Every structure is written in C-alpha cells, then in structure tokens.
C-alpha cells in the first residue's frame, strides 16, 4: 500500500527505508540514500511536489554524511583496482606522445594520437563494464583521467577529430565508441567557448556517462540494426532517467546527474524525458545534445545511411524547429569548420585535398592537405583555402571518397612493392659484391704465397 510524501517532508540528510518514487516507474531516491539541498532545490525548480512511498516504509533516521562517504570510498577502491592498469596505460601513452616531437612525420603523429585515443576507449569500456558487473564507478579516478583527456584534446585537436571508427567497430561496441566520440566533440566545444578546466572535466565525465542508463535495458534494443517499434522506442527513452538514478546512487555531483538526464531535451520542449525548454536545460546537456546528434548523423548504422561530416554540419546549422542551442552549434562550427577535419574536398584548381585544420574566425575556409603533394622536405603540402584561387567547390561524395581512399591505398601498395623490389635488387647486388670481395681476398692471399719450391 502506498502513501503520498509531500516535498515539505524532505529535509537534508534524511533517508527512506524503501525507494522514494516520482511515479510508478521513476525512482527519485533509492533506499538509504540521503536527501540533499540540491535535490530539494531541483525538485522545486521542476515543479514536483508529491512523491510515493510504501505505508510501512516511513522516513528513516538521519544518515551521517561522513559515514555515507566512507561507504562510497570503500566501493570506489574496488573499482579503482579494476581500472588502474588501463589508467596507467593511458598516462604512459600521453607521456610517450608528449615526449615525441614527430618532426619528420605527420603520419607518426596521427598514429600516436590514435594509440592514445584507443587507450581512452579501453578505459571507457572498463568504466561501463565495472558498473555493469559490480555497480561501481570511481569518481575521482574518472575525474583525473578526464582531466588528462581534456589537455590531450587541446594539444592534439586536429588529429583527434580525424579519427573515425569503422562500422565494424561500432557494431561490436556501440556504447563505448559513441560515448568516446561524443566526449571528444563535447570537450572540443567546451574548449571553444573557453570553459575553465574544472567545468571541462565535469562536461567530459557527463559525456562519457550520458549513455550509462542503457545498461539497464536489454542490449538488443540499442545494438540492433533494425528499426525499433514504438514500444521499443519508449523503452529506449527511459535511459536518461536510468542514468540519472545510477549517478544519484553513486553520489555523483548534481550538475553531472542533470546533464545525463537532460541530454535528449530540446530547446523547443519537444525532447525527453521532461520536455524542458531553453534556459531550463543544463549547459552540459545542451552541449552533449549537439555533440551526440552530430555523432549520430555521421555514424554508420544498418537501418540508416550515415551522412558526411559536411552534411551533418549543414543539418545542425539549419537547426530545424530550433531544437538546439544556436550558441553551441556555432561553437561546434568554429571548432570543426564548415568542412570538418577529415573531410575530402574538391578545389576550384582541380585538386583534391583533405581538411587538416580549422582557420581561426573563418569557418568557411579551413586549412587543407593536398593529396599526393609534398613540400621540399618531404612533409605533406598544406594550404589555406580562400574565396579565390584556393576555393573549396564541394565535398566529395561517399562514393568518391571511397574511390580516392582506394586509389591512395593502391598507390601505397605500389610504392611498397616498388620499395620491396628495390630492396631485393639491392640484396642481390650486395650478395654479388660480397662474393666478389671474398674472391678478391682469396686471390690476394694466394699472391703472397712463395711458389718457388714448386717450380
């Protein structure tokens, strides 16, 4: 039997002997978790005044805050043991990348950045796995790791943004790859709008965990290649609430909890789960909404055709129905440019190039790297596009891009084969020269032998 609990009865540090429910499905406060001032303030802002609880489960006694924190620390210690090895690997990869100046090769720099990127994906995978198996996430360790990631992205943005996971990789680990890509984009936006490091770290944590609620749903719902039924979509739409509950149980900061529960809200009130509008949506959620949407538009999935980064940027710029915060979209535009890093473009001089970096305050004209052209020192040839001789005409279609990549791979294979033939030829020449040298040494030895006694 249920009774109604009014918001006036909620006081800081009291707890309930059973879950306090917002309705029949939404757990507002899990059993034994204490009420906080932040929660009361948020409920007043949301307009929630009454809640449900079992009659025989009345308000419990006050839980000491320090005691609760000690319990949390004990749980996090176990999570730390699970992820410590991966975290050390991430730090080592960062140190290796920082120590190597990559003076001779952009390719080496990109390869190093990819290594670090993959280490972070391994780390995110461990965070999700750790929660799925033991219901624990070490907040402090996650915070420290995200701090390093923020710095790494700031120093290597134009390389990190070029990394695109394959469709096969997405199939195997959709949640991790999506979370990683969204996090990179969110931190990039945060850097563009000059967020302080403390806020960047919270934004990064929120981005990594924005899909954590999916773990309370059947995997076939979010791993499927088929179009979801209305009922399945309704289940999926519960994941922000589940994520909010998870982070509340783990005592994560309220700002992170709100970012997770609100990342599917829209400026026009047509989002979910609470149909918030404009200023009622947290800043972290606004940023993640744009990052998440951009990532989803460009992601290859069986049930939809992915779009190019250029098409994704145009779609967001159009901002139909005013769904997203225009300031955040502008920040993404100035971070990636109209022709995002990694996009293949056709220039009016007939050359094909790949966008390698953005131009400050000029999102229409990014810096590009010309294909099959190098500087005198052997480094890739780059140029600043403009509205004149080096104007971008259009972005290559996916088919054209595939042909270019195939041609580049064939050229690379041909060069490798040619190099192999040259090396084989050099090996034969060296063998011949070594044999001749050995023969000459033998003749030289005979020339000093006294043959008079044989005459």
């Amino acid at each position: 039997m249920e009774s109604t609990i009014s918001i006036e009865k909620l006081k800081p540090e009291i707890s309930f002997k059973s879950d306090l429910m917002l309705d029949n499905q939404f757990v507002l406060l899990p059993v034994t978790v204490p009420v906080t001032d932040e929660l009361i303030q948020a409920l007043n802002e949301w307009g929630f005044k009454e809640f449900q609880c079992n009659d025989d489960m009345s308000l419990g006694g006050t839980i000491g805050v320090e005691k609760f924190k000690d319990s949390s620390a004990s749980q996090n210690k176990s999570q730390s043991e699970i992820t410590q090895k991966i975290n050390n690997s991430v730090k080592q990869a960062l140190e290796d990348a920082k120590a190597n100046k990559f003076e001779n090769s952009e390719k080496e720099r990109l390869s190093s950045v990819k290594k670090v990127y993959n280490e972070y994906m391994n780390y995110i995978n461990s965070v999700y796995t750790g929660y799925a198996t033991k219901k624990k996430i070490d907040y402090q360790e996650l915070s420290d790791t995200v701090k390093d990631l923020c710095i790494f992205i700031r120093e290597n943005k134009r390389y990190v943004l070029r990394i695109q996971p394959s469709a096969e990789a997405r199939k195997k680990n959709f949640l991790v790859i999506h979370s990683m890509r969204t996090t990179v984009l969110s931190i990039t936006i945060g850097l563009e709008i000059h967020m302080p490091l403390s806020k960047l770290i919270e934004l990064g944590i929120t981005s990594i965990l924005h899909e954590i609620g999916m773990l309370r749903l059947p995997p076939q719902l979010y791993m499927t290649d088929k179009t979801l039924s209305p009922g399945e979509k309704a289940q999926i739409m519960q994941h922000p609430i589940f994520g909010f509950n998870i982070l509340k149980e783990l005592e994560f900061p309220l700002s992170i909890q709100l970012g997770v529960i609100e990342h599917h809200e829209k400026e026009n009130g047509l989002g979910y789960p609470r149909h918030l509008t404009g200023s009622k949506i947290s800043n972290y959620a606004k940023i993640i909404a744009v990052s998440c949407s951009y990532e989803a538009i460009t992601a290859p999935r069986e049930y939809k055709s992915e779009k190019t980064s250029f098409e994704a940027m145009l779609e967001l710029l159009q901002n139909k129905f005013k769904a997203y915060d225009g300031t955040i979209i502008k920040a993404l535009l100035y971070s990636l440019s109209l022709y995002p890093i990694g996009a293949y473009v056709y220039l009016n001089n007939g050359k094909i190039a790949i966008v390698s970096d953005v131009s400050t305050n000029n999102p229409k004209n990014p810096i590009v790297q010309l294909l099959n052209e190098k500087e005198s020192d052997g480094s890739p040839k780059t140029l600043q596009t403009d509205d004149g001789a080096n104007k971008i005409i259009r972005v290559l279609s996916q088919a054209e891009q595939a042909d270019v990549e195939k041609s580049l791979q064939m050229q690379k294979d041909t060069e490798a084969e040619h190099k192999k033939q040259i090396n084989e030829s050099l090996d034969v020449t060296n063998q011949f020269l070594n044999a001749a040298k050995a023969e000459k040494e033998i003749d030289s030895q005979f020339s000093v032998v006294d043959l008079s006694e044989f005459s």
Side-chain angles (χ1 to χ4, degrees), residues 34-54:
V35 175
T36 63
D37 286 321
E38 291 84 358
L39 174 63
I40 296 172
Q41 180 180 350
L43 291 172
N44 281 315
E45 290 177 356
W46 296 342
F48 294 117
K49 301 299 182 183
E50 293 184 341
F51 320 100
Q52 298 173 2
C53 189
N54 290 340

Side-chain angles (χ1 to χ4, degrees), residues 344 372 401-419:
Y344 286 82
N372 296 324
Q401 180 173 324
D403 288 341
V404 169
E405 291 175 343
K406 183 178 179 181
S407 176
L408 290 173
Q409 186 60 50
M410 290 176 62
Q411 180 180 342
K412 187 183 298 184
D413 292 342
T414 300
E415 291 175 352
E417 181 62 29
H418 182 59
K419 186 176 182 180

